[in-house]
Amino acid sequence: MEITKETIEKHGLTLDEYKNIQNLLKRAPNLLELGIFSAMWNEHCSYKSSRLHLKKLPTLGKQVIQGPGENAGIIDIGDEDAIVFKIESHNHPSYLEPYQGAATGVGGILRDVFTMGARPIALLNSIHFGSTSHPKTKRLLNGVVSGIGGYGNCIGVPTVAGETKFHETYNENILVNAMAVGHVKKNKIFYSKAKGLNKSVVYVGSKTGRDGIHGASMASAEFNEKAEEKKPTVQVGDPFTEKLLLEACLELMKDDSIISIQDMGAAGLTSSSVEMASKGSLGIELDLDKVPCREENMTPYEMMLSESQERMLIILEDGKEKYAKKIFEKWDLDFVVIGKTTNSKNLTLKFNKKVEGEIPIDALASKAPIYNRKWIRKKLSNKRIKIKELKKIKIEDAFIKLISSPNFSNKNWITNQYDQMVMCDTVQKSGSDAAIIRVHNNNEKGIAVSVDSSANYSKSHPLTGGKQIVCENWRNLISVGARPLAITNCLNFGNPENNEVMGEFVESLEGIKEACEFLNFPVVSGNVSFYNGTNKKNIFPTPVIGGVGLINKLSNSLNHSLKNENSIILLIGKTFGHLGQSCFLKENYSIFDGDPPEVNLMNEKNNGEIILKLINKNLVLSAHDISSGGLIIALSEMVNSSKLGIKIERTNKLSNIIEYFFGEDQGRYIVEIDPNNLNKVIKLLKNNNIYYENIGFTQKKYFEIENQIKIDINDLYKINNQWYNNY
């Protein structure tokens, strides 16, 4: 087949990139080779617009065993235990086919974790939809939630935490980010680097079909009015087969048979073979006649670019083929030796006893394009929102508007579709600041996990937004009594060829870098998702942070449910009443203006450290960080998760009541204290120069804010549940 301009463009390549391919090959590629270059050089696989900037992120620390560059990151949690985790996007597929897009997103991230030798112990998600009034939102929401629950529930991994948000910026481009966490012993970690010559390259798992062809390329392009035509590029998942694959791989990993292992994710057989060979500076020869296919007359092009799910590529030690085959056949899975490692440093593809493709590995990997795209820095507006200039509103009306809105309504309708308790190690499920998972066979030690995003802050000022979202994740882990250890990130942005979008990406990374360095909270894995937009309209920049923290003593862990009547409520951290980009303005005045709240990293660190110290000394009954919606929303969440009310008063009556309760100042916590421990707590706070306010106490029946709000806690719960119940 002749390679035309149209053919090149259909493969998502530019004419300049095609010329580069010709130079690297010293000839014109055939169609198979062009397809392989298309898969490996697209944004999703090559990170050609982001690699230059991703290198700036802090990835090292004494707790880090493996940083970015492998299937997932790994951190040391002591006692020879390690935690493996990563977050990835499946945005485009989920918009086109919400159930399968979300389901295969879960399946893919699980494979990234168990490929490293870890048993998956938890799933999390960050999902963003358009306006609730948009005609597509309800269908997309139901499909995505069903897909997440369907896959996770069937494979038997608990979905323990996440977030669901709505904003019109996602009307035509939803975000579906899936995170998986696994546990492994440090001496049983596996990697993808190929080693040795003439080693067997083995295909295991499901058969190859025609689903998902060009899926990675599709994820590296903007949508337009013809988006529906791309549905055939969406993969189809089978969680029951993945369960078999998981158990077979973990069984084989008990032995010393595996040299390297890689899941067939984006770009399928192409990316898995290239990545293994590239890391090991070797070549790989594949006999495509041996690839197990579930459809007739599949071509080499289709085999290499298929993204059929539940497949792995393994390189075995000599003489281990029979032993390994017996394990996979026991689990009713395909096991076929389809190739070998070579010293050619080429990807060699044979079919019908002919060489159909021959490409240098480095041409597909290390010599893939790297772009230093132009970008624009965004300045702070320095615009102060003046509450006196706004139409007067009753504080109770403003509060009810917030807690009954889609973004703040109780999300039990969603989380109840997820099995959160399977495996029996879930100590604290969704609903608090972070979920808690017991380290298996250890009644003392656990990990906390949380996932967070804040698109409006990042849109207003990406640098501040990047810092803020790292700090919010830090606070969420702290609030349950965990020492924050490391993060994974999923960076969702629009078209990087747009200077403004590229600026949002670069500055968000700068903010993430600054916060992670200051807090000793390194980035160990992640994903970049560009081209999120339709018809040249880009989404708001939406960096998503997934964090993991360590709890050495589970009996010290907390949630945000109020515990006792007549407890003291302390506010930790200063309140300045910042309303720029606040939920109060958006919900009550439709104002999307102002700068995001300032992030003071020193305060974040000091306040977090003292909260953790108080928790470990058993001086705190419950704790909650303050984020979107401000102090009043955080207080209502504590009440709604318990059977108790509160009575709250400002200590400084000169501060504006709206700004005080709805301002979204950062670095703040609410803690519930037993009156008998109050003096001990205050002494510790003063000795560490921590700002605090005694703002009230718990009570039986009412949610009371000064003389402005008095709502029965049962009515408060009903108000908080009404939107989802009626949607």
Side-chain angles (χ1 to χ4, degrees):
M1 178 181 173
E2 183 186 358
I3 306 297
T4 63
K5 180 182 176 183
E6 185 182 14
T7 308
I8 295 165
E9 289 174 348
K10 276 187 176 180
H11 281 77
L13 295 164
T14 67
L15 293 179
D16 284 340
E17 287 172 342
Y18 181 71
K19 288 177 184 176
N20 193 11
I21 291 168
Q22 288 179 307
N23 290 333
L24 288 167
L25 292 177
K26 297 181 174 58
R27 58 177 173 85
N30 60 33
L31 186 63
L32 170 62
E33 293 167 333
L34 185 72
I36 289 170
F37 271 104
S38 167
M40 294 305 299
W41 281 20
N42 65 56
E43 199 71 60
H44 191 77
C45 293
S46 74
Y47 291 79
K48 57 190 176 186
S49 297
S50 59
R51 267 193 291 170
L52 194 67
H53 303 283
L54 291 171
K55 293 175 182 177
K56 302 171 187 174
L57 291 173
T59 59
L60 302 175
K62 64 179 183 180
Q63 69 272 45
V64 178
I65 296 173
Q66 175 64 55
E70 268 291 343
N71 288 292
I74 310 177
I75 55 173
D76 190 341
I77 60 167
D79 305 314
E80 299 304 310
D81 293 312
I83 296 296
V84 181
F85 64 107
K86 189 182 182 183
I87 189 169
E88 277 203 340
S89 62
H90 229 223
N91 304 335
H92 287 50
S94 299
Y95 180 77
L96 295 172
E97 185 57 60
Y99 184 95
Q100 289 296 347
T104 53
V106 172
I109 200 65
L110 284 170
R111 289 195 300 279
D112 281 339
V113 166
F114 73 76
T115 299
M116 305 293 292
R119 178 170 291 280
I121 57 174
L123 286 163
L124 301 87
N125 55 76
S126 174
I127 51 181
H128 294 69
F129 300 91
S131 167
T132 55
S133 61
H134 191 275
K136 293 182 181 179
T137 297
K138 192 170 185 177
R139 178 183 68 85
L140 292 169
L141 172 66
N142 287 332
V144 166
V145 170
S146 297
I148 292 170
Y151 206 101
N153 296 352
C154 289
I155 198 172
V157 179
T159 301
V160 297
E163 59 174 5
T164 303
K165 294 184 176 181
F166 302 90
H167 192 284
E168 53 267 26
T169 191
Y170 310 108
N171 279 349
E172 303 296 334
N173 197 124
I174 65 173
L175 302 183
V176 176
N177 295 178
M179 177 176 169
V181 183
H183 170 243
V184 67
K185 289 293 182 180
K186 286 183 344 186
N187 64 345
K188 282 296 181 181
I189 297 170
F190 289 82
Y191 299 95
S192 59
K193 180 180 178 180
K195 296 177 185 176
L197 295 178
N198 294 312
K199 304 295 183 183
S200 294
V201 178
V202 184
Y203 174 119
V204 300
S206 291
K207 288 180 168 55
T208 296
R210 291 188 170 95
D211 55 319
I213 293 173
H214 285 303
S217 299
M218 177 269 293
S220 303
E222 285 184 313
F223 282 151
N224 55 34
E225 62 278 354
K226 296 181 179 180
E228 293 293 312
E229 295 174 6
K230 297 180 180 180
K231 274 191 177 182
T233 63
V234 179
Q235 312 93 327
V236 178
D238 179 356
F240 300 105
T241 300
E242 178 127 332
K243 175 64 173 175
L244 300 177
L245 183 62
L246 162 68
E247 298 300 340
C249 287
L250 292 182
E251 183 175 342
L252 182 60
M253 287 168 171
K254 292 177 182 177
D255 189 71
D256 58 356
S257 302
I258 296 175
I259 295 173
S260 63
I261 180 169
Q262 177 74 42
D263 86 292
M264 296 190 211
L269 188 53
T270 290
S271 63
S272 56
S273 55
V274 170
E275 286 172 14
M276 294 170 91
S278 174
K279 290 172 183 175
S281 298
L282 293 171
I284 280 187
E285 181 181 296
L286 300 179
D287 184 350
L288 300 183
D289 289 300
K290 296 179 179 179
V291 173
C293 296
R294 65 169 180 261
E295 298 182 54
E296 293 183 358
N297 301 315
M298 287 190 68
T299 65
Y301 183 99
E302 291 170 327
M303 291 181 208
M304 291 303 295
L305 297 183
S306 167
E307 294 185 9
S308 295
Q309 299 290 285
E310 295 84 39
R311 303 178 300 158
M312 293 280 192
L313 204 62
I314 300 175
I315 297 176
L316 289 176
E317 293 283 6
D318 293 338
K320 292 291 185 177
E321 293 86 356
K322 285 184 180 179
Y323 169 76
K325 187 176 183 179
K326 190 178 287 187
I327 290 174
F328 281 88
E329 287 182 341
K330 181 184 78 173
W331 291 100
D332 199 24
L333 295 165
D334 279 301
F335 178 101
V336 184
V337 178
I338 64 167
K340 62 182 180 180
T341 59
T342 70
N343 62 2
S344 69
K345 296 188 178 182
N346 291 336
L347 175 66
T348 305
L349 304 174
K350 292 184 175 180
F351 187 67
N352 289 337
K353 298 182 180 179
K354 291 182 181 177
V355 175
E356 294 289 339
E358 185 105 34
I359 308 173
I361 292 290
D362 61 0
L364 296 168
S366 61
K367 291 183 181 178
I370 299 178
Y371 294 135
N372 186 8
R373 298 192 185 276
K374 292 180 180 178
W375 58 279
I376 300 170
R377 188 172 291 279
K378 198 156 191 175
K379 294 179 181 178
L380 286 165
S381 68
N382 293 319
K383 184 175 180 179
R384 176 79 179 179
I385 305 298
K386 297 178 181 177
I387 195 70
K388 292 179 181 178
E389 295 178 1
L390 300 175
K391 184 180 177 182
K392 283 192 176 180
I393 188 171
K394 289 183 178 178
I395 184 173
E396 183 170 331
D397 293 342
F399 169 61
I400 288 174
K401 189 85 178 280
L402 252 67
I403 65 164
S404 61
S405 68
N407 282 315
F408 288 106
S409 285
N410 191 315
K411 295 181 175 59
N412 284 345
W413 175 85
I414 291 175
T415 57
N416 286 344
Q417 295 185 54
Y418 306 148
D419 190 334
Q420 301 185 63
M421 302 304 294
V422 64
M423 299 178 74
C424 301
D425 282 323
T426 305
V427 176
Q428 183 164 285
K429 57 185 184 179
S430 62
S432 199
D433 292 280
I436 299 174
I437 310 296
R438 180 186 295 104
V439 174
H440 196 64
N441 291 328
N442 189 326
N443 290 327
E444 284 288 308
K445 188 165 65 175
I447 60 164
V449 290
S450 180
V451 63
D452 302 281
S453 66
S454 185
N456 59 311
Y457 290 173
S458 295
K459 181 64 179 174
S460 174
H461 192 245
L463 180 67
T464 302
K467 286 194 285 187
Q468 186 276 333
I469 202 58
V470 171
C471 292
E472 184 174 341
N473 194 274
W474 162 274
R475 292 196 302 272
N476 282 335
L477 298 173
I478 292 279
S479 296
V480 300
R483 165 66 63 185
L485 292 181
I487 68 167
T488 181
N489 56 35
C490 195
L491 306 172
N492 306 277
F493 290 79
N495 189 334
E497 298 161 52
N498 178 301
N499 295 353
E500 184 179 334
V501 170
M502 197 63 206
E504 291 168 347
F505 175 77
V506 174
E507 288 200 90
S508 292
L509 273 187
E510 287 179 3
I512 292 169
K513 171 182 181 290
E514 190 177 336
C516 287
E517 285 180 340
F518 197 91
L519 299 173
N520 187 26
F521 204 24
V523 182
V524 297
S525 60
N527 169 237
V528 178
S529 176
F530 278 133
Y531 296 97
N532 290 291
T534 300
N535 293 325
K536 309 298 180 184
K537 189 176 182 179
N538 297 295
I539 66 161
F540 281 8
T542 312
V544 176
I545 301 295
V548 176
L550 176 64
I551 302 173
N552 284 312
K553 198 172 181 181
L554 283 170
S555 56
N556 287 345
S557 63
L558 288 187
N559 56 35
H560 68 225
S561 296
L562 300 170
K563 301 300 187 298
N564 298 328
E565 191 182 349
N566 296 318
S567 296
I568 303 298
I569 302 294
L570 295 185
L571 170 60
I572 309 297
K574 283 189 179 181
T575 298
F576 300 98
H578 187 98
L579 290 178
Q581 293 298 321
S582 68
C583 298
F584 167 80
L585 290 180
K586 290 197 288 282
E587 293 294 340
N588 290 286
Y589 295 95
S590 297
I591 293 175
F592 303 81
D593 210 350
D595 296 320
E598 179 189 356
V599 177
N600 185 316
L601 292 173
M602 182 63 76
N603 286 345
E604 289 281 3
K605 189 171 186 177
N606 291 343
N607 292 351
E609 292 286 356
I610 201 66
I611 294 293
L612 198 56
K613 189 175 287 186
L614 289 170
I615 293 172
N616 288 331
K617 288 180 176 290
N618 293 310
L619 295 173
V620 177
L621 295 171
S622 65
H624 195 15
D625 90 300
I626 301 171
S627 54
S628 298
L631 173 61
I632 198 166
I633 290 296
L635 290 167
S636 71
E637 289 170 345
M638 297 178 82
V639 168
N640 274 329
S641 65
S642 64
K643 300 289 186 182
L644 290 168
I646 53 170
K647 186 175 177 63
I648 302 295
E649 297 272 349
R650 286 167 293 162
T651 57
N652 181 5
K653 294 290 185 178
L654 295 175
S655 59
N656 180 279
I657 191 169
I658 293 288
E659 292 176 335
Y660 188 87
F661 285 104
F662 293 93
E664 297 183 6
D665 306 296
Q666 301 294 292
R668 298 183 297 160
Y669 300 80
I670 305 165
V671 291
E672 178 192 3
I673 306 293
D674 187 306
N676 295 321
N677 290 327
L678 184 60
N679 289 336
K680 292 179 186 175
V681 171
I682 289 175
K683 184 179 178 181
L684 199 57
L685 293 171
K686 286 182 175 179
N687 287 344
N688 287 274
N689 296 313
I690 302 297
Y691 183 88
Y692 73 94
E693 296 175 31
N694 186 336
I695 60 172
F697 55 87
T698 59
Q699 58 182 8
K700 271 189 178 178
K701 194 173 181 182
Y702 293 102
F703 179 85
E704 282 189 78
I705 304 293
E706 297 188 3
N707 60 351
Q708 303 289 319
I709 299 177
K710 188 174 182 179
I711 304 174
D712 186 288
I713 59 173
N714 294 316
D715 293 334
L716 184 69
Y717 185 82
K718 289 175 184 175
I719 294 166
N720 190 227
N721 279 270
Q722 68 184 27
W723 180 81
Y724 272 99
N725 290 339
N726 297 328
Y727 190 56

